[in-house]
Amino acid sequence: MTEQHRIYIPRRQVLRGILATAAFAATTKLAGCASGESGGNGESGSGQPLVLGFIYVGAKDDYGWNQAQAEGAKQLEGLPGVKLVEQASVPETKEVQEVMRSMIEQDGATAIFATSFGYFKPHVLEMAQQFPDVQFFHCSTLWEEGMPTNIGNYYADIDDAQYVCGKVAAETAKSGKLGYVAAKPVNPVLRSINSFMLGAQSVNPAAKMQVIFTGDWNVPVKEAEATNTLADQGVEVVGMHIDSPKVVVETAEKRGIYSSGFHTDQSSLAPKGYLTGTAYDWSNVFKRYVELLQAGKKVMDGGIPRVTQGSLAESYVKLSPFGQAVAAKTKQDAEDAIAKIKDGSLMVYSGPIKDNTGAMKIPQGTKYKATAPELDQINWLANGVLGG
């Protein structure tokens, strides 16, 4: 996911001319010790804390992807034997390699969390080769055989939560006219759209949803234009899958239509029209990593899972608080759906499901959990979705 960035000069470039090689070597040696001998309190035998480096592609207060990751990291503050090192607005270029190197060599980080999709190839791959004793965790499921073994992936599937958000939207929109602003027609986005639509159709089978793709993850002008276009077409609720929902939510509020957010809670931006939203809860993932790292576990030898993946049932995602426009019955219906998803009696992708051309995609009797790998092959839009 890419965004506009401020100019950032990595600290290592500044310090290269003033730090001696010996100082770097001493710091690196210390970082190696921290990853080796781990005590029960997460500190190394030399008394050093577990240093975790978090890197974000945008601002930590973007009301979107980066804020959700940063909020998860913030929950680690104050944990015994843990130190956070963070850097925001780092582009998906070689600049991120310099930031990772700085965190490892200067700050003694033994685990790096590279939170943006575009950091993986080639940047995380190259740095993992250069620092085989450091563990790198990337937000994706991109690792494949033959890649450095000191890389782990973490990921949250949003299908279940988007389904519930779609139910809330359809119960609120009396006309059944919904809208959706999306970045690109790639698998995670298509699944987001489809899940929202399937949830809406569980309430109103005649519901329709107009989708507008902006072409990129963060293009505020196009996001505003898309929202205004949907409002002009008479939609009552707009959902979204973009890096920062801020512009869409604020524009919807100005136009007097409802919004269903994404990534984190945007209710403060739209006190009248915000319904709820799909929000990540990365704190559960990060805290589990801390427990394993402090116990001396490593992804290299299987002590830490290669891929950590979950959804609503695992509390990796959740619904944002309901807005004032959501009726009491709608809230209860949403809570009931969440309970059924968590106990396994409700699966979003339960056949029969057709695409918007009428072709059968998931036949009667076939069901998939949100984490099922078969869903990674979805390249279609569900029946009732217009545009795209």
Side-chain angles (χ1 to χ4, degrees):
M1 299 184 183
T2 58
E3 301 193 22
Q4 298 297 316
H5 311 287
R6 62 176 174 80
I7 300 298
Y8 166 72
I9 302 176
R11 291 172 294 162
R12 186 170 189 265
Q13 290 182 359
V14 176
L15 294 175
R16 271 187 182 136
I18 59 176
L19 289 180
T21 304
F24 275 123
T27 306
T28 306
K29 182 177 180 181
L30 183 59
C33 291
S35 66
E37 302 175 29
S38 178
N41 63 355
E43 297 184 351
S44 72
S46 58
Q48 295 301 311
L50 172 66
V51 182
L52 309 175
F54 283 84
I55 308 173
Y56 314 104
V57 73
K60 293 166 59 178
D61 59 352
D62 66 350
Y63 286 94
W65 174 263
N66 298 288
Q67 182 168 327
Q69 297 273 351
E71 287 176 350
K74 186 174 179 60
Q75 295 302 308
L76 305 181
E77 292 181 350
L79 292 181
V82 175
K83 177 184 176 182
L84 296 187
V85 181
E86 298 177 280
Q87 181 62 52
S89 299
V90 181
E92 297 166 331
T93 66
K94 281 212 169 183
E95 192 169 304
V96 73
Q97 295 188 33
E98 290 294 333
V99 173
M100 285 189 270
R101 187 185 305 277
S102 170
M103 288 179 171
I104 295 166
E105 294 186 339
Q106 293 178 39
D107 300 302
T110 56
I112 298 290
F113 290 81
T115 65
S116 186
F117 187 86
Y119 288 160
F120 193 74
K121 294 181 180 179
H123 311 299
V124 168
L125 294 178
E126 290 186 8
M127 297 306 291
Q129 289 180 328
Q130 293 184 37
F131 296 94
D133 293 329
V134 175
Q135 301 187 68
F136 294 80
F137 299 99
H138 185 258
C139 192
S140 71
T141 56
L142 293 175
W143 189 89
E144 298 176 352
E145 290 292 338
M147 292 181 176
T149 59
N150 54 330
I151 298 174
N153 287 161
Y154 65 96
Y155 194 71
D157 295 289
I158 62 172
D159 308 72
D160 293 338
Q162 286 291 72
Y163 177 91
V164 180
C165 288
K167 287 177 66 71
V168 173
E171 287 196 34
T172 306
K174 306 306 179 184
S175 67
K177 298 177 70 173
L178 310 175
Y180 210 92
V181 179
K184 300 179 181 183
V186 294
N187 175 264
V189 178
L190 298 177
R191 288 173 58 174
S192 176
I193 295 167
N194 291 343
S195 300
F196 196 92
M197 183 79 262
L198 292 170
Q201 289 176 335
S202 73
V203 173
N204 180 1
K208 303 292 182 183
M209 187 165 72
Q210 180 70 48
V211 175
I212 297 178
F213 290 101
T214 64
D216 212 338
W217 298 107
N218 188 6
V219 279
V221 173
K222 290 186 178 180
E223 291 158 9
E225 291 174 350
T227 308
N228 280 315
T229 297
L230 292 171
D232 291 341
Q233 293 176 357
V235 306
E236 291 187 65
V237 183
V238 59
M240 62 211 71
H241 191 126
I242 48 182
D243 262 11
S244 175
K246 186 175 187 294
V247 169
V248 174
V249 171
E250 289 179 330
T251 305
E253 184 82 346
K254 291 177 183 177
R255 294 299 306 270
I257 62 176
Y258 299 113
S259 59
S260 182
F262 188 37
H263 297 305
T264 189
D265 181 11
Q266 293 92 30
S267 58
S268 63
L269 302 175
K272 294 181 179 179
Y274 188 81
L275 298 179
T276 184
T278 292
Y280 292 104
D281 191 353
W282 296 118
S283 65
N284 291 322
V285 179
F286 296 158
K287 286 178 180 178
R288 179 55 179 159
Y289 275 133
V290 167
E291 291 174 2
L292 294 171
L293 289 166
Q294 287 184 324
K297 304 295 184 180
K298 298 181 179 181
V299 69
M300 298 83 127
D301 57 16
I304 296 177
R306 177 71 60 197
V307 179
T308 297
Q309 186 172 3
S311 187
L312 192 63
E314 292 78 17
S315 297
Y316 289 3
V317 295
K318 59 185 178 181
L319 256 64
S320 295
F322 295 111
Q324 65 179 26
V326 181
K329 180 182 181 301
T330 301
K331 294 179 184 178
Q332 187 59 56
D333 290 344
E335 296 293 347
D336 291 344
I338 291 172
K340 291 179 180 179
I341 288 170
K342 288 188 173 182
D343 70 22
S345 61
L346 172 60
M347 294 186 190
V348 173
Y349 285 94
S350 298
I353 297 176
K354 295 182 179 180
D355 68 12
N356 60 0
T357 70
M360 181 64 68
K361 292 299 183 179
I362 300 179
Q364 178 76 38
T366 299
K367 298 180 179 182
Y368 296 115
K369 291 183 179 180
T371 54
E374 290 85 353
L375 299 183
D376 294 336
Q377 306 306 312
I378 286 179
N379 60 358
W380 44 270
L381 290 169
N383 181 41
V385 179
L386 310 174

